[in-house]
Amino acid sequence: MSILFTFFRSSASFRVRIALNLKQIPYQPEIISLPNGEQVGGTFLAQNPQGLVPLYVDANGSFSQSLAIMEYLDEALPSAHRLLPSDAVGRARVRSLSMLIACEIHPLNNLRVLKYLKHELKQDEEGVNNWYRHWVAEGLQTLERQLIHDKHQSAYLHGETPTMADCCLVPQIFNAKRYECDLTTYPKLMKVFENCMKLHAFDQAQPNKQPDAA
Amino acid sequence: MSILFTFFRSSASFRVRIALNLKQIPYQPEIISLPNGEQVGGTFLAQNPQGLVPLYVDANGSFSQSLAIMEYLDEALPSAHRLLPSDAVGRARVRSLSMLIACEIHPLNNLRVLKYLKHELKQDEEGVNNWYRHWVAEGLQTLERQLIHDKHQSAYLHGETPTMADCCLVPQIFNAKRYECDLTTYPKLMKVFENCMKLHAFDQAQPNKQPDAA
């Protein structure tokens, strides 16, 4: 059986947990505690020199970076639920939406950045929270704007079945809720979020349903 | 002819300029001045609601996010120079290396983040530069570590021809040099950088050879 090195609160791990569920790929979770720094401990670092979760391991090798893992899963198991559309233009759109979240929002709000703000830039809790909410708002406003007037947006971010882009959106909304960001101004995104959360694949991947949830 | 909305100093635009050159796709550059805020001006925003460069436009549509554009170019013109390897495991590796740069380093150091540090967090020039160098060092150390025991790394980040990962590395090294980051501790990366810069496709894509360079 394949293995997913994961942490319940890691958004990038959450994305891959959804993707594995959508594709109905069974996996063994191996917990890497980020607060305990296990991702940069010697044992894990030997397996993933990037020192990040998730890491996905199957008979073909070890795979890092959540979007690269999802692309790989889709190529390795094309007969299961498709995470990317079948046409090149659609794939480009799904990748672009995914990267808007994965490259423009998430990197600014992960744990190591918040730690730097606190310890190096001496930001208090309010300063850190303002930073967090600022980048979430910038990113989600952009995403909401992109969806208005876009004929491809439907029940999900792209069409009538969930794609890699939805696997990125849902963990980002979970994070935004945790930091009490105002989400009322993103009706299109929140409708997609609701539709996703009705699906078993998304529901079962959420942080508080993981074995390492407190 | 296809159009690339670009800015000479934009790393993400630089990536796509290299990719277009490698694939020998002719294009018309349209300059979007980031310091003048043209990326969020009404005219451009109507074309790219993400409000970011690069934007690539051809007969099939408009394409945003540099990595998504490169994937699209490779799918649209498979007979030209391949930006991604032919095997799924190799593609996953190239995507992972690309995303290590595009998701873990670059987003922390782009213009809007540096502006926030200066104006909202009241960081002086030294504070901003320390931030910049910190994340470059973190990211490049990780990348160098990943290459050390990796049999796939050769003249380029993956094998004997440049891939999407090299299109991401070179602009990042240009940025690091501009901010006077110490690059002596990354011998493997710098060797790849040198090999890339010997190629016309990389050389001609560099910032100071663009029509909008000062």
Side-chain angles (χ1 to χ4, degrees):
Chain A
M1 192 189 289
S2 60
I3 298 170
L4 183 70
F5 291 86
T6 174
F7 180 64
F8 77 113
R9 266 208 185 122
S10 150
S11 295
S13 300
F14 188 176
R15 294 173 194 155
V16 175
R17 293 194 302 257
I18 300 166
L20 287 163
N21 291 349
L22 284 170
K23 292 192 85 75
Q24 299 189 287
I25 300 172
Y27 67 94
Q28 175 69 38
E30 286 280 346
I31 310 305
I32 299 294
S33 167
L34 301 187
N36 293 346
E38 290 176 9
Q39 75 280 17
V40 288
T43 319
F44 182 67
L45 216 51
Q47 286 199 277
N48 182 13
Q50 292 198 7
L52 298 164
V53 289
L55 180 75
Y56 178 73
V57 181
D58 71 7
N60 296 321
S62 293
F63 301 91
S64 54
Q65 288 289 338
S66 60
L67 270 63
I69 297 170
M70 290 191 278
E71 294 262 6
Y72 168 74
L73 294 175
D74 223 31
E75 293 184 358
L77 267 174
S79 60
H81 177 98
R82 296 305 298 255
L83 300 169
L84 289 149
S86 57
D87 63 304
V89 175
R91 278 194 296 279
R93 184 173 177 276
V94 166
R95 286 179 178 132
S96 175
L97 292 170
S98 303
M99 287 165 188
L100 179 57
I101 296 165
C103 302
E104 312 293 340
I105 307 177
H106 180 63
L108 294 162
N109 290 349
N110 67 23
L111 196 58
R112 65 201 167 95
V113 173
L114 304 183
K115 276 186 178 170
Y116 190 98
L117 289 170
K118 187 176 172 187
H119 298 300
E120 307 297 326
L121 302 186
K122 309 296 178 200
Q123 292 297 304
D124 58 14
E125 196 180 337
E126 196 193 343
V128 173
N129 286 349
N130 286 343
W131 166 279
Y132 197 102
R133 290 175 192 142
H134 174 80
W135 299 114
V136 167
E138 279 256 308
L140 295 186
Q141 274 162 22
T142 301
L143 195 51
E144 182 81 11
R145 184 171 63 214
Q146 181 164 2
L147 297 184
I148 298 172
H149 309 303
D150 192 325
K151 66 178 163 52
H152 296 290
Q153 197 261 315
S154 187
Y156 301 98
L157 286 179
H158 187 92
E160 299 301 333
T161 57
T163 64
M164 180 167 79
D166 302 291
C167 297
C168 294
L169 176 67
V170 165
Q172 188 59 59
I173 299 292
F174 265 77
N175 277 349
K177 286 185 172 203
R178 194 171 153 230
Y179 275 79
E180 297 174 354
C181 301
D182 176 17
L183 296 170
T184 56
T185 49
Y186 318 119
K188 285 189 170 280
L189 293 179
M190 294 312 290
K191 185 69 199 155
V192 170
F193 175 77
E194 276 170 35
N195 290 339
C196 287
M197 290 309 297
K198 286 176 195 156
L199 303 178
H200 188 76
F202 285 80
D203 177 64
Q204 290 300 307
Q206 66 176 284
N208 68 15
K209 296 198 174 178
Q210 304 315 301
D212 53 329
Chain B
M1 192 189 289
S2 59
I3 298 170
L4 183 70
F5 291 85
T6 172
F7 180 63
F8 76 115
R9 264 207 185 125
S10 148
S11 296
S13 300
F14 188 176
R15 292 173 195 156
V16 175
R17 293 195 300 258
I18 299 166
L20 287 163
N21 292 348
L22 283 170
K23 292 192 86 75
Q24 300 188 287
I25 299 171
Y27 67 94
Q28 176 69 38
E30 286 280 346
I31 309 305
I32 299 294
S33 167
L34 301 188
N36 293 346
E38 291 176 8
Q39 75 280 16
V40 288
T43 320
F44 183 66
L45 215 52
Q47 288 199 275
N48 183 13
Q50 292 198 8
L52 297 165
V53 290
L55 180 75
Y56 178 74
V57 181
D58 71 8
N60 295 321
S62 293
F63 301 91
S64 55
Q65 288 290 338
S66 60
L67 270 62
I69 297 170
M70 291 191 278
E71 295 262 5
Y72 168 73
L73 295 175
D74 223 32
E75 292 183 0
L77 268 172
S79 59
H81 177 98
R82 296 305 299 254
L83 300 169
L84 288 151
S86 57
D87 62 306
V89 175
R91 278 195 296 280
R93 184 174 177 276
V94 166
R95 286 178 178 133
S96 175
L97 292 170
S98 303
M99 287 164 187
L100 180 56
I101 297 166
C103 302
E104 312 293 340
I105 307 177
H106 179 62
L108 294 162
N109 289 348
N110 68 22
L111 196 59
R112 64 200 167 97
V113 174
L114 304 183
K115 276 185 178 170
Y116 189 99
L117 289 170
K118 188 176 171 185
H119 299 299
E120 305 298 325
L121 302 187
K122 308 298 179 201
Q123 292 297 303
D124 58 14
E125 196 180 337
E126 196 193 342
V128 173
N129 287 348
N130 285 344
W131 166 279
Y132 197 102
R133 292 176 192 138
H134 174 80
W135 298 114
V136 167
E138 278 256 308
L140 295 185
Q141 273 162 23
T142 301
L143 195 51
E144 181 82 11
R145 183 171 63 215
Q146 182 165 1
L147 297 184
I148 288 175
H149 301 292
D150 193 326
K151 65 178 164 48
H152 296 290
Q153 196 262 317
S154 187
Y156 302 98
L157 286 179
H158 188 90
E160 299 300 333
T161 57
T163 64
M164 180 166 79
D166 302 291
C167 296
C168 293
L169 175 67
V170 164
Q172 188 59 60
I173 298 293
F174 265 76
N175 277 350
K177 286 184 173 202
R178 192 170 154 233
Y179 275 78
E180 298 176 352
C181 300
D182 175 17
L183 297 170
T184 57
T185 48
Y186 317 118
K188 285 191 170 279
L189 293 179
M190 294 312 291
K191 184 67 198 159
V192 170
F193 175 76
E194 277 170 35
N195 290 339
C196 288
M197 290 309 296
K198 286 177 195 156
L199 302 177
H200 187 75
F202 285 80
D203 177 63
Q204 290 300 307
Q206 65 177 286
N208 68 16
K209 297 198 173 176
Q210 303 315 302
D212 53 330

